[in-house]
Amino acid sequence: MRSIDSLGAQRRRRRRSGRHWRPAQLILAGFAIGVVVGTGLLMLPIARAGQGGTDLLTAFFHAASSICVVGLTTVDTGTYWSGFGQLVILLLVQVGGFGIMAFASLLGVVVTRRLGLRSRLTAAAETKNSGIGGVAGLLIRVAVVGLSIELLCTVLLTVRFLTGYQFSFGKALYHGVFHAVTAFNNAGFALRPDGLDAYVDDPWICLTLAVTVALGSLGFPVLFELARRSRTPGKWSTHTKITVLGSGLLFVIGALFITISEWSNPDSIGGLSPGSRILAGVFHSVSLRTAGFSTVDIGGMHQGTWLGMDVLMFIGGGSAGTSGGIKVTTFAVLLFVIIAEVRGDRAVNAFGRRISSRTVQQAVTVALLSVAAVVVATIVLVEITDFSTDRVLFEVVSAFGTTGLTTGITTQLPSAGLLLLTGLMFLGRLGPVTLVSALALRDSERRFDYPEGRPLIG
């Protein structure tokens, strides 16, 4: 009979051999490989519109920004990168928004018509699927729904570019495809040096992009349930109710806040017509769900507006979608915890359902780790740059929330600052819990509980 020590040594050898990688570790490795591949492609001379290739830091930052669907840039996407470079960015955005391991699993389904257990586990973890039996079908539905929404957005944008801006058909189609993909994946890359400023008073383009961004930010589980039960909201799951109602409430609050706060500011929306000011407020409220598009100069907004936008970017969108942030459900669960404590309830309840203690622990963990990451990064950037704290905080939250909005300091950050933002983008796309669990050393659960302690709170 083998001794316990030999069995333990064998397990450790198997873990080191890589055969027991957890799904979180595979997801982390997949995104890391995607960044490396994207960096290599963007460094090729063919990827740059000018002479020579791109330096390592610029290529690395833009590859990470693309695959993490952020949209922060240090060079102009439309003029610095060639058609090949823009195509690389677009593909990275598409793969990153879908989920790089989920995308690889989908390719496995298409090529081999089957999916192994390891691939099922990894894809289930990345798409937040509770089971592994129907992962293959889920991946196909996700791809079909995502591509269908992008196609519809492409058609609407192409028609508008053709009829309203006299683009050639090829140029109109290219701009339509590019902005549709970056909108649904909440990436926010644009092909004009001024972003989308030229379309600030164009409801066709702004509302088309806003709806596409909103659909992408809800998350695929919510989209699927809305398609099945659109007429019976009473039968929606707790997750869908929280996501839809929470997203709607945050959208209304954001639109009112930005419009009222910036109404008389000539450096942002103050110089527009009343209708265009409202349109800009609505558009940016949606964009703050981590899309990163802007139709006015963010750097010209009031400091108080930046702080409110920080909050919205930090919350982000829905789970298992293309948005970032701590997610609407996380924020809502914390709110329900506060309500339960204030009311003296023994359990945390929402919409006639009890929220499990495990879910509450996860929400608290995500929120506190996210706050810690933002605070530490802000302190570091304030120390190594001469920018004000409000501008630095906005940049940090935008990177962590995978939003991509900027007050204009990204291009002026030192190399250390860009590397720090890259780490935040990576953390924001994967999620603090996923990243921590991927790096954790413990493989097994503790089989015992300590005696209860009662520290004083408050």
Side-chain angles (χ1 to χ4, degrees):
M1 182 180 294
R2 297 179 182 178
S3 66
I4 295 176
D5 290 340
S6 64
L7 289 174
Q10 187 178 28
R11 293 192 188 98
R12 288 193 294 272
R13 284 195 299 271
R14 285 202 297 265
R15 284 197 294 270
R16 287 195 296 267
S17 69
R19 285 181 290 175
H20 288 270
W21 278 29
R22 288 167 289 178
Q25 293 173 323
L26 291 173
I27 294 171
L28 174 62
F31 271 89
I33 292 173
V35 172
V36 172
V37 172
T39 300
L41 292 174
L42 291 178
M43 289 183 68
L44 297 174
I46 193 177
R48 185 178 175 184
Q51 296 295 322
T54 302
D55 63 276
L56 175 61
L57 181 58
T58 300
F60 176 71
F61 184 81
H62 285 78
S65 183
S66 301
I67 205 162
C68 295
V69 292
V70 180
L72 283 175
T73 62
T74 60
V75 297
D76 177 55
T77 304
T79 58
Y80 183 88
W81 302 109
S82 65
F84 175 80
Q86 294 171 14
L87 179 61
V88 170
I89 289 175
L90 198 64
L91 290 176
L92 290 174
V93 167
Q94 188 74 288
V95 173
F98 187 76
I100 193 163
M101 296 307 294
F103 182 80
S105 299
L106 178 64
L107 290 181
V109 173
V110 173
V111 174
T112 66
R113 301 294 180 181
R114 63 186 180 87
L115 203 59
L117 178 60
R118 173 61 62 185
S119 297
R120 289 177 184 270
L121 290 170
T122 306
E126 192 167 29
T127 57
K128 303 294 188 296
N129 189 33
S130 58
I132 63 174
V135 168
L138 173 66
L139 294 176
I140 294 175
R141 292 198 303 274
V142 167
V144 170
V145 170
L147 292 176
S148 298
I149 294 174
E150 290 175 358
L151 177 60
L152 179 58
C153 181
T154 297
V155 172
L156 293 174
L157 292 179
T158 301
V159 171
R160 183 56 180 166
F161 288 137
L162 278 172
T163 59
Y165 299 90
Q166 287 71 54
F167 284 13
S168 65
F169 177 76
K171 182 179 180 181
L173 179 61
Y174 180 68
H175 277 245
V177 170
F178 191 94
H179 290 96
V181 172
T182 57
F184 180 73
N185 290 286
N186 282 211
F189 286 96
L191 293 174
R192 292 177 58 93
D194 58 356
L196 299 177
D197 290 10
Y199 314 121
V200 63
D201 57 353
D202 190 328
W204 187 325
I205 290 181
C206 288
L207 294 180
T208 297
L209 289 175
V211 171
T212 305
V213 167
L215 291 175
S217 70
L218 287 176
F220 289 106
V222 175
L223 291 179
F224 294 152
E225 186 162 5
L226 290 178
R228 295 194 312 268
R229 302 174 176 175
S230 59
R231 297 182 180 180
T232 55
K235 296 182 179 180
W236 290 352
S237 65
T238 303
H239 171 74
T240 297
K241 290 178 180 178
I242 292 177
T243 302
V244 172
L245 295 179
S247 297
L249 184 60
L250 290 173
F251 161 70
V252 173
I253 293 174
L256 290 174
F257 170 73
I258 294 172
T259 303
I260 294 173
S261 177
E262 296 295 316
W263 186 266
S264 302
N265 184 359
D267 295 326
S268 58
I269 68 175
L272 303 173
S273 65
S276 296
R277 296 182 204 183
I278 296 174
L279 178 63
V282 168
F283 181 80
H284 285 86
S285 179
V286 177
S287 185
L288 288 172
R289 310 319 305 283
T290 78
F293 286 123
S294 63
T295 57
V296 298
D297 179 20
I298 301 297
M301 290 183 168
H302 297 309
Q303 295 177 353
T305 307
W306 289 343
L307 186 57
M309 295 170 75
D310 289 340
V311 175
L312 293 173
M313 290 190 296
F314 184 76
I315 295 174
S319 298
T322 58
S323 60
I326 64 172
K327 306 298 192 255
V328 173
T329 45
T330 302
F331 178 76
V333 167
L334 295 177
L335 191 61
F336 292 136
V337 170
I338 295 174
I339 294 174
E341 184 62 28
V342 170
R343 295 175 56 181
D345 295 337
R346 299 182 60 182
V348 180
N349 303 306
F351 302 106
R353 293 290 186 272
R354 180 177 58 84
I355 306 298
S356 68
S357 59
R358 177 61 177 165
T359 300
V360 172
Q361 290 176 347
Q362 289 176 336
V364 172
T365 302
V366 168
L368 291 181
L369 287 177
S370 300
V371 169
V374 168
V375 170
V376 171
T378 300
I379 293 174
V380 172
L381 276 184
V382 167
E383 291 295 326
I384 66 176
T385 67
D386 296 326
F387 297 114
S388 60
T389 303
D390 50 5
R391 287 183 179 271
V392 170
L393 177 62
F394 189 96
E395 205 80 5
V396 166
V397 175
S398 179
F400 172 78
T402 69
T403 307
L405 290 173
T406 178
T407 60
I409 69 174
T410 307
T411 57
Q412 305 173 55
L413 291 177
S415 298
L418 293 178
L419 291 175
L420 179 60
L421 289 186
T422 302
L424 283 171
M425 292 188 290
F426 211 72
L427 175 62
R429 182 65 186 95
L430 293 177
V433 171
T434 299
L435 188 60
V436 170
S437 63
L439 301 176
L441 299 178
R442 183 184 295 275
D443 279 332
S444 59
E445 295 183 6
R446 183 179 285 119
R447 301 292 183 178
F448 61 90
D449 290 327
Y450 290 109
E452 186 179 90
R454 292 181 176 273
L456 297 178
I457 303 297

